[in-house]
């Protein structure tokens, strides 16, 4: 039914167009944009055409968007203070 589709979309952690970074500091620090969402499997396609699990990424902070990269924990702490 049409409502089922909407329910799945509302359960998504990220939406198309969201700016994200990898959660793991061992991964590249580039900003990425969610290009496509497959909610049932918690998969997200990024603008780099890479498919990732939702646990691999997080929403980029305002400071990260301004810096155009994922910040270290120390840099993020400084950004929150200033």
């Amino acid at each position: 039914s049409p409502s089922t589709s909407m329910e799945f979309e509302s359960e998504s952690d990220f939406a198309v167009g969201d700016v994200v970074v990898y959660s793991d500091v061992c991964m590249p620090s580039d900003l990425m944009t969610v290009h496509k969402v497959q909610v049932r499997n918690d998969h997200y396609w990024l603008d780099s055409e890479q498919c990732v699990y939702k646990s691999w990424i997080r929403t980029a902070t305002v400071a990260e968007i301004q810096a155009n990269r994922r910040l270290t924990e120390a840099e993020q702490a400084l950004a929150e203070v200033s």
Side-chain angles (χ1 to χ4, degrees), residues 22 32-36 44-52:
Y22 282 109
M32 301 164 291
T33 304
V34 175
H35 181 67
K36 197 160 116 182
Y44 297 88
W45 276 264
L46 306 177
D47 52 359
S48 61
E49 300 200 13
Q50 185 168 15
C51 180
V52 298

Side-chain angles (χ1 to χ4, degrees), residues 54-74:
K54 76 174 181 181
S55 62
W56 295 4
I57 57 175
R58 64 169 174 76
T59 303
T61 64
V62 172
E64 288 171 325
I65 292 169
Q66 290 172 344
N68 201 33
R69 64 179 175 83
R70 182 186 62 235
L71 299 178
T72 64
E73 285 185 34

Side-chain angles (χ1 to χ4, degrees), residues 2-70:
S3 64
T4 303
S5 167
M6 295 303 284
E7 287 171 18
F8 280 120
E9 287 177 22
S10 66
E11 291 176 7
S12 176
D13 288 75
F14 305 101
V16 171
D18 282 357
V19 178
V20 298
V21 293
Y22 282 109
S23 300
D24 187 341
V25 296
C26 295
M27 296 297 287
S29 62
D30 302 344
L31 295 182
M32 301 164 291
T33 304
V34 175
H35 181 67
K36 197 160 116 182
V37 176
Q38 185 180 355
V39 179
R40 290 182 188 200
N41 296 330
D42 290 329
H43 286 109
Y44 297 88
W45 276 264
L46 306 177
D47 52 359
S48 61
E49 300 200 13
Q50 185 168 15
C51 180
V52 298
Y53 290 105
K54 76 174 181 181
S55 62
W56 295 4
I57 57 175
R58 64 169 174 76
T59 303
T61 64
V62 172
E64 288 171 325
I65 292 169
Q66 290 172 344
N68 201 33
R69 64 179 175 83
R70 182 186 62 235

